[in-house]
Structure formats: C-alpha cells, structure tokens
Amino acid sequence: IFQFLLPSRFPSMRQKDLNEMSLDLIFETVRDYYLRRNKSEDLPPKKRHEIWTELDDDQKLAYEQTLESGRTRIRQLINGVPEIQVRKSIFGLIQNLKGICNFSPHKSYSPKLTALVELVEGELEKGRKILIFSQYLGNGIEKIYPEIERFGCVQLVGNMTTSERNRVVAQFRKNDEIKLFLGSLRATGIGLNLTSASIVIHFDHWWNPAVMWQAEDRAHRQGQTRTVDVYSFWVKDTIEERI
C-alpha cells in the first residue's frame, strides 16, 4: 500500500526484500501515518460471573427430538452429498439446539428467562443500568423483551435504520427511566459507547468469544467509572457446556 501511495519512501522492492525488512524499520518508515489505540489502564475492572440453569420438560423433549432427527439427517447425507452440505447441516443443527437452550419452540418462558428477570430486578435495585445481548430474535430478543419491558427497556436489532439506532442509543444514555438495553449481538457489538451501563448479560453465546468481548466493551471503555460485571447464562447438559 505504501509503495503505491508513497513510492519515494517505499521504493519498488522485490517480495524477498520486503519479507526481510525488520518490523522496527517498517514502523519507523510509516510512523507519521500510523495510529494505534491502546485501552486505558485507568479503566475499572471487568468481573465475570456464570449463572447455570437446566432445561425444563418442554425444552428437554424438543432438544432430544431435534438432536435425534438432526443426527439421522446427517447420517443420510454423509455419503450422498458434498462435504460442504454436510457441514451446513451440522451447523444448522447446532444453531437449533442452542436456540432451544433459550426457549422451547412452543413457549415464551424458560428457566433462563426466569433467572434473567431475577438478576435484572436485583441489579436495578442497586441503581445500575444493564446491557443484555442475544444472537437470536425469535428464540431470544422477541421473547425476552415482553418480560423486561416494564423495567424501562429499549432494543436494538439488525434491521433498524441509522436514525432508529441513534434514537435508541440516545434514549438509553440520557433517559434515567430507561434502565435496560436489549440488543442482538452482531448489531450492537461494535461502534457504540454505552458506559452508562455497568452490567452486561450474555443470554446466549457466540462460538467466537472475541465477538462477545467486543459487545461487553460497549460498557467497558473510556468514560466508565464503575466495575463492569459480566454475567453469562449457561444450560447444563447441553451444547452450551461444550461452548
């Protein structure tokens, strides 16, 4: 890139010569154009907590049926279709099982949601604002929101316009009556400053933890003055334990 933009500083070189350049020399050459942001060491700590629940009877039945039918389909596919299609079926099965860990397909309540409401009530009594993340809409945000709306809640999902996003963020930051921010993980995970919150709750879990760390850091960034408590909800004896 710098050879193209600034050939006087980076004269044309063979690939071999470029590979042999030291990192120190490269850094010195591009120093005037190089910006690196380091997280402030003055930030308060981030503390992690785990909350474990169990599947209710409806979830257990749905989980076992989904797992068995998924395994049967994968066995049928293994020798008859390209490997990529088998992988897609496996990942699809895993996603379905993870969704059932949140809610039974036919119910809008679950042990996870009970634990969430209890945690929210306790932390709101301490005067703290809360971020809640889920990767699911139908098996996540759409079932969570009706149960916590009464506490003062805004939500942010991927299909919202920029103006809608800005309005939701401003409400959460400036309105003391809005205590909860419920967001889909990918839509909320980057680019927002939500330091008015000091509690982060992961209702479910992405495979790549870095995606979740980015979401947590909406609260754990410059401007935060309180310890940030991060709660992760897990379901025993399910795919979530393997995550």
Side-chain angles (χ1 to χ4, degrees):
I1 292 172
F2 275 93
Q3 278 187 334
F4 177 78
L5 294 174
L6 293 169
S8 61
R9 285 206 176 191
F10 269 96
S12 179
M13 299 173 67
R14 295 177 302 168
Q15 185 65 44
K16 180 176 180 291
D17 296 327
L18 281 174
N19 293 339
E20 291 176 353
M21 287 183 70
S22 71
L23 292 178
D24 289 339
L25 176 58
I26 292 173
F27 179 78
E28 287 301 321
T29 307
V30 302
R31 178 186 290 276
D32 293 342
Y33 307 91
Y34 179 84
L35 176 66
R36 180 174 183 177
R37 185 181 68 181
N38 293 316
K39 179 166 281 192
S40 170
E41 296 180 359
D42 298 329
L43 280 175
K46 185 195 291 186
K47 294 184 178 180
R48 300 191 177 277
H49 314 269
E50 293 183 354
I51 295 179
W52 287 86
T53 64
E54 297 182 356
L55 298 174
D56 64 21
D57 290 341
D58 290 318
Q59 285 174 294
K60 286 179 182 178
L61 180 61
Y63 193 94
E64 291 168 0
Q65 291 177 340
T66 300
L67 179 58
E68 187 55 39
S69 63
R71 282 174 171 165
T72 299
R73 172 171 169 74
I74 290 165
R75 291 191 192 103
Q76 293 170 346
L77 291 174
I78 284 176
N79 296 319
V81 300
E83 181 180 347
I84 186 65
Q85 191 170 337
V86 177
R87 289 184 180 183
K88 287 180 178 180
S89 294
I90 292 172
F91 288 134
L93 173 59
I94 289 172
Q95 279 295 97
N96 290 338
L97 293 175
K98 288 169 64 182
I100 294 170
C101 289
N102 287 354
F103 295 96
S104 164
H106 309 298
K107 290 176 64 176
S108 59
Y109 220 78
S110 69
K112 253 193 191 183
L113 186 56
T114 300
L116 174 69
V117 173
E118 290 175 355
L119 177 61
V120 165
E121 288 178 329
E123 294 299 338
L124 290 181
E125 290 177 358
K126 303 173 186 176
R128 305 178 76 176
K129 285 195 170 189
I130 301 172
L131 308 182
I132 303 170
F133 296 113
S134 173
Q135 64 183 278
Y136 294 92
L137 290 178
N139 264 339
I141 289 174
E142 291 176 358
K143 292 183 178 180
I144 295 171
Y145 182 76
E147 296 300 320
I148 62 175
E149 182 182 10
R150 66 184 186 275
F151 300 118
C153 180
V154 292
Q155 59 178 326
L156 192 153
V157 293
N159 61 359
M160 297 172 70
T161 65
T162 300
S163 60
E164 289 172 331
R165 288 170 59 93
N166 292 341
R167 176 178 52 79
V168 165
V169 171
Q171 281 183 299
F172 184 73
R173 286 176 178 168
K174 299 175 182 178
N175 188 342
D176 291 337
E177 299 300 315
I178 302 297
K179 307 292 187 182
L180 306 177
F181 186 104
L182 175 63
S184 61
L185 189 65
R186 296 308 292 265
T188 316
I190 56 175
L192 297 178
N193 188 328
L194 301 170
T195 52
S196 56
S198 58
I199 299 285
V200 178
I201 300 173
H202 293 297
F203 195 74
D204 44 62
H205 297 266
W206 203 264
W207 287 105
N208 181 358
V211 174
M212 304 177 70
W213 298 336
Q214 284 187 328
E216 294 165 13
D217 286 346
R218 300 316 94 212
H220 193 245
R221 55 194 300 123
Q222 286 188 327
Q224 181 58 262
T225 59
R226 306 178 69 165
T227 295
V228 175
D229 289 289
V230 180
Y231 291 88
S232 293
F233 283 61
W234 302 99
V235 180
K236 296 176 183 177
D237 302 320
T238 71
I239 189 70
E240 288 197 331
E241 277 196 303
R242 299 191 180 190
I243 297 174

